[in-house]
């Protein structure tokens, strides 16, 4: 791959991962509705909106899981969860446990730290107000960093047959996605109530 091809390939990959969950959650919701149960919608925002920040993603993706965890774990042990970061850590690590593969522990730890970092960033007026440049760069950093948790995307085979790690793809992806995410953030600010 070269240049913009990394952006297209990686964007389609991250979109495909989001769509896998969207389809699974949608099918489960449809089955529940056919049984007469009114479950919550699990995906409240599209990938383009939910990937703006870790907090946006966690508050609008797999909503029934968040409600279950809050209702049956956090509220049952309120005294244990006096500090907000303890709740956050418990949620992220329990999610890692449910995914059951070691790479997910690293992924959820990364998300936990970024979630805490966003709490600090939200004190910055430009970030809080949704400045398109600041948010576009931040969204690009998040998406490019997420690629590191999918090693097959970052490995390539040399002519002699050895396999090497390459950071060229995430670097190109970041550069092209800054522009894309900038316009995405402008669109979100102008049309705040849309799903897409």
């Amino acid at each position: 791959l070269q240049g913009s091809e990394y952006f297209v390939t990686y964007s389609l990959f991250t979109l495909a991962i989001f769509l896998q969950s969207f389809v699974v959650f949608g099918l489960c919701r449809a089955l529940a509705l056919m049984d007469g149960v009114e479950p919550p919608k699990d995906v409240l925002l599209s990938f383009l909106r939910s990937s703006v920040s870790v907090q946006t993603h966690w508050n609008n993706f797999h909503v029934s899981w968040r409600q279950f965890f809050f209702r049956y774990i956090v509220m049952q042990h309120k005294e244990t969860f006096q500090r907000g970061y303890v709740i956050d850590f418990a949620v992220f690590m329990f999610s890692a446990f449910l995914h059951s593969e070691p790479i997910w522990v690293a992924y959820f730890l990364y998300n936990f730290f970024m979630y805490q970092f966003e709490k600090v960033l939200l004190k910055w007026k430009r970030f809080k107000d949704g400045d398109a440049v600041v948010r576009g760069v931040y969204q690009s950093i998040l998406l490019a960093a997420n690629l590191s948790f999918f090693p097959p995307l970052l490995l390539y085979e040399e002519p002699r047959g050895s396999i090497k790690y390459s950071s060229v793809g995430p670097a190109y992806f970041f550069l092209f996605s800054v522009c894309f995410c900038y316009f995405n953030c402008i669109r979100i600010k102008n049309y705040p109530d849309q799903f897409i």
Side-chain angles (χ1 to χ4, degrees):
L1 298 176
Q2 296 178 358
S4 61
E5 293 172 344
Y6 283 108
F7 173 70
V8 173
T9 303
Y10 291 176
S11 293
L12 290 174
F13 175 76
T14 53
L15 179 62
I17 288 176
F18 180 84
L19 287 175
Q20 287 174 354
S21 300
F22 186 77
V23 169
V24 168
F25 297 154
L27 287 174
C28 291
R29 185 168 195 274
L31 291 171
L33 289 170
M34 289 190 307
D35 281 342
V37 176
E38 182 66 41
K41 289 184 179 177
D42 268 327
V43 181
L44 302 178
L45 296 175
S46 72
F47 172 72
L48 294 175
R49 284 184 185 272
S50 69
S51 64
V52 170
S53 71
V54 175
Q55 289 189 12
T56 304
H57 176 78
W58 278 85
N59 292 330
N60 296 289
F61 187 79
H62 206 166
V63 174
S64 61
W65 159 243
R66 189 180 75 240
Q67 289 174 347
F68 166 82
F69 196 86
F70 188 75
R71 186 177 300 139
Y72 296 107
I73 296 178
V74 173
M75 293 308 291
Q76 301 299 321
H77 306 283
K78 282 189 261 185
E79 64 283 348
T80 306
F81 297 113
Q82 292 299 317
R83 298 176 195 259
Y85 66 87
V86 176
I87 295 171
D88 298 340
F89 186 76
V91 169
F92 283 99
M93 289 303 96
F94 193 66
S95 297
F97 170 75
L98 292 177
H99 283 78
S100 75
E101 292 180 10
I103 190 76
W104 289 106
V105 174
Y107 177 76
F108 286 109
L109 270 173
Y110 159 76
N111 277 279
F112 166 73
F113 288 117
M114 292 309 293
Y115 194 84
Q116 301 311 309
F117 180 62
E118 285 175 11
K119 289 179 180 181
V120 174
L121 282 177
L122 284 168
K123 295 176 183 174
W124 182 25
K125 185 172 176 23
R126 287 184 67 186
F127 188 84
K128 186 176 183 176
D129 293 344
D131 180 279
V133 172
V134 172
R135 285 296 187 128
V137 169
Y138 183 72
Q139 183 179 13
S140 300
I141 291 169
L142 284 178
L143 292 173
N146 277 332
L147 295 174
S148 64
F149 295 100
F150 299 98
L153 290 174
L154 307 176
L155 300 175
Y156 71 97
E157 187 175 358
E158 288 187 323
R160 290 170 287 170
S162 61
I163 295 178
K164 299 278 185 178
Y165 171 82
S166 172
S167 61
V168 173
Y172 273 113
F173 176 79
F174 171 76
L175 291 174
F176 282 97
S177 69
V178 166
C179 181
F180 179 82
C181 292
Y182 166 76
F183 288 113
N184 183 46
C185 289
I186 289 174
R187 181 187 62 81
I188 289 170
K189 199 167 186 177
N190 290 338
Y191 304 100
D193 298 327
Q194 292 183 348
F195 174 78
I196 292 179

